[in-house]
Amino acid sequence: MDDLLNRSRAAVWHPCTQMKQLEAAPPLAIARGEGPWLVDTDGRRYLDAISSWWVNLFGHCNPRINAAIIDQLGKIEHVMLAGATHAPVVELSERLAALTGLGHAFYGSDGSSATEIALKMSAHYWRNTGLADKNEFISLRNGYHGETVGALSVTDIPLFKSTYAPLLRPSVQVPTPDARLAEPGESAAAFALRCADALEAHLAEHATTTAAFIVEPLVQGAAGMAMYHPIYLTRARELCNQYGVHLIADEIAVGFGRTGTLFACEQAPPPSPSGRGAGGEGAQQAGIRPDFICLSKGITGGYLPLSAVLTTDDIYAAFYGDATARGFLHSHSYTGNPLACRAALAVLDIFESDQVIVSNRDKSDQFTKILDEVAAHPRVRHFRQRGMIWAFDVAGGAPDFAVRFHHMALAQGVFIRPVGNTVYVMPPYVTRADDMRGLARALLVCLNHPEV
Ligand SMILES: *Cc1c(COP(=O)(O)O)cnc(C)c1O
């Protein structure tokens, strides 16, 4: 184990890590996985309480996803998607279209590249329709959309962004409806509508130069699982319609059941023609329909890197024509990789055959009850939950609270990484009530520890 850690430190540049800190706090050397559990090279087991950076849905080494990939390996592992096509990518595109109400799936390899694709498509759409000045982007304060240079431009996490500011194209951040920021006595819905007014004020002045508003629906993950009222999305949809600006739903983290519906946008009341988020009654379709949806993370159940951007027929049509340059010429070597698509199809099969959205509803109620004692702990503030995400802020922590909590939890057999003073739990959907009880006990030990 020690040998592997030393070699890792010497040869691997770990992500989101000050490498010097790995001397005092070595990474876990993982040998294998089993459902929601990670097993290290010494045979110790850790509950993967954050689904390996939010990607894992149905556990490690899931037999059904394994079988799909193995079957595909015997057919074709990869073929380029320019000038060729294959059944897995066609079937996945058809099924994602049926599920999202959008279509024309364009594939990348990770979340950041999905953001890049959506931003480029949006600006290119306006250019193709004779409105090339519409090329600026709006995002929410504390929003996160990835860290490649274009995606980082619309991300608003100073720790990740400030160093690279000179490389980035400016974008505008509007107030976040994060319900923790509501005035005392103000409801989350009233606060969300107040924040939407600020979005409107910006659009009223800058719509002619704005291409799109990109947003993480319902939960701002990297901000520390900031949760907000769905009415904000309804208003955002109405305002984007009114001012002729695209709405990009970044469902990279919240998609595939995380917030309790297959996609988070489904929880926003549908817009009404009269505006002010008053819709709902008699509406045909659940939720709002964005102009672009970005998907990744859970799409392959945490198996293989894959992302997809889907859009409307109208937007697609603006690229369709005789002129090559009118087309979307973005290219990426592994676009639509068959192995990744087969993993994604297996994930969709599991959602259907196991009625995962329905069974997760009971599970999330049950898990919330299991966490009652944690929620009531005197150091816990703003305990919050949506679907299969739980989060709370911890008062009175040391400056390096996140690191201390992480290590204390490891000693309890739990793999968890707080964001600042926010602890969040985002377990694989195959986690059982007993696993969750163990997790609750571990969280209480950490919260009660004088050094955390
Ligand atoms: C993780 C994430 C991304 C970036 O995805 P990567 O695969 O890490 O590049 C973008 N947006 C959101 C909301 C995310 O959570």
Side-chain angles (χ1 to χ4, degrees):
M1 163 120 158
D2 282 351
D3 181 47
L4 192 62
L5 295 180
N6 287 333
R7 284 165 52 205
S8 191
R9 273 201 296 262
V12 181
W13 200 331
H14 288 262
C16 204
T17 300
Q18 167 49 269
M19 289 297 290
K20 185 157 196 289
Q21 287 167 3
L22 288 191
E23 286 169 27
L28 282 187
I30 296 302
R32 59 192 183 84
E34 216 178 88
W37 294 91
L38 298 166
V39 185
D40 76 10
T41 46
D42 291 334
R44 273 190 296 261
R45 291 156 63 84
Y46 304 88
L47 185 69
D48 189 357
I50 55 171
S51 295
S52 287
W53 255 349
W54 325 346
V55 299
N56 193 290
L57 302 186
F58 301 120
H60 298 282
C61 277
N62 182 292
R64 286 191 269 179
I65 306 175
N66 284 10
I69 295 171
I70 291 166
D71 179 65
Q72 185 59 38
L73 273 173
K75 294 175 176 161
I76 175 85
E77 75 300 325
H78 183 69
V79 58
M80 61 188 285
L81 202 61
T85 193
H86 50 82
V89 80
V90 173
E91 195 188 329
L92 181 60
S93 305
E94 290 170 350
R95 288 176 73 176
L96 289 177
L99 293 168
T100 60
L102 297 166
H104 316 287
F106 195 101
Y107 293 91
S109 57
D110 52 39
S112 301
S113 65
T115 298
E116 304 283 350
I117 288 161
L119 298 179
K120 283 178 71 177
M121 266 187 188
S122 172
H124 193 164
Y125 168 88
W126 294 116
R127 185 184 166 84
N128 279 352
T129 54
L131 297 170
D133 285 346
K134 283 171 77 72
N135 58 43
E136 289 167 6
F137 298 102
I138 311 174
S139 58
L140 285 183
R141 226 164 265 164
N142 307 331
Y144 182 91
H145 303 288
E147 292 169 62
T148 52
V149 172
L152 194 56
S153 296
V154 290
T155 283
D156 185 43
I157 309 276
L159 183 63
F160 302 151
K161 186 172 188 176
S162 335
T163 310
Y164 309 103
L167 311 186
L168 306 178
R169 185 158 177 273
S171 68
V172 171
Q173 277 67 54
V174 292
T176 167
D178 176 353
R180 290 174 298 179
L181 304 175
E183 295 291 337
E186 185 179 33
S187 71
F191 180 59
L193 289 172
R194 189 152 65 82
C195 291
D197 289 344
L199 171 63
E200 171 155 35
H202 181 83
L203 288 173
E205 218 174 311
H206 299 285
T208 54
T209 53
T210 303
F213 175 42
I214 181 166
V215 65
E216 293 162 89
L218 299 187
V219 182
Q220 292 183 286
M225 302 298 154
M227 300 185 184
Y228 63 86
H229 195 280
I231 199 75
Y232 185 82
L233 296 172
T234 307
R235 261 319 267 160
R237 177 67 280 177
E238 289 169 354
L239 291 169
C240 286
N241 286 345
Q242 185 182 336
Y243 289 96
V245 164
H246 293 143
L247 179 63
I248 303 173
D250 176 351
E251 296 235 12
I252 290 165
V254 293
F256 299 98
R258 260 303 153 194
T259 66
T261 44
L262 192 60
F263 300 109
C265 282
E266 294 168 29
Q267 291 179 51
S272 74
S274 60
R276 291 295 313 168
E281 300 277 314
Q284 296 295 304
Q285 196 194 352
I288 57 149
R289 194 172 80 133
D291 299 293
F292 298 91
I293 189 168
C294 300
L295 304 172
S296 189
K297 292 207 165 100
I299 192 171
T300 62
Y303 266 67
L304 288 161
L306 179 72
S307 62
V309 178
L310 287 91
T311 189
T312 63
D313 291 344
D314 282 351
I315 289 172
Y316 175 76
F319 290 79
Y320 200 82
D322 295 322
T324 303
R326 257 190 108 79
F328 190 61
L329 304 186
H330 186 94
S331 55
H332 158 57
S333 312
Y334 280 98
T335 302
N337 174 259
L339 295 170
C341 289
R342 280 298 297 275
L345 287 166
V347 163
L348 293 181
D349 287 343
I350 295 173
F351 268 105
E352 267 179 36
S353 63
D354 295 7
Q355 305 211 10
V356 172
I357 297 296
V358 174
S359 63
N360 272 3
R361 241 171 253 158
D362 293 337
K363 203 168 240 198
S364 68
D365 288 348
Q366 188 186 20
F367 287 6
T368 300
K369 283 199 193 84
I370 290 171
L371 291 171
D372 266 354
E373 209 180 322
V374 172
H377 192 278
R379 292 180 71 189
V380 167
R381 306 279 183 277
H382 297 294
F383 185 90
R384 50 198 184 273
Q385 175 259 335
R386 192 175 287 277
M388 293 295 276
I389 308 174
W390 293 263
F392 53 89
D393 307 336
V394 178
D400 57 347
F401 168 81
V403 176
R404 286 166 184 254
F405 197 99
H406 170 72
H407 289 287
M408 189 60 64
L410 279 184
Q412 313 296 316
V414 170
F415 187 74
I416 197 166
R417 283 170 57 110
V419 177
N421 71 340
T422 296
V423 176
Y424 70 91
V425 176
M426 200 157 162
Y429 304 160
V430 295
T431 305
R432 296 163 316 140
D434 269 351
D435 304 329
M436 207 62 188
R437 283 187 200 101
L439 171 70
R441 280 193 297 275
L443 293 176
L444 289 169
V445 168
C446 296
L447 287 169
N448 287 329
H449 199 282
E451 280 166 29
V452 174

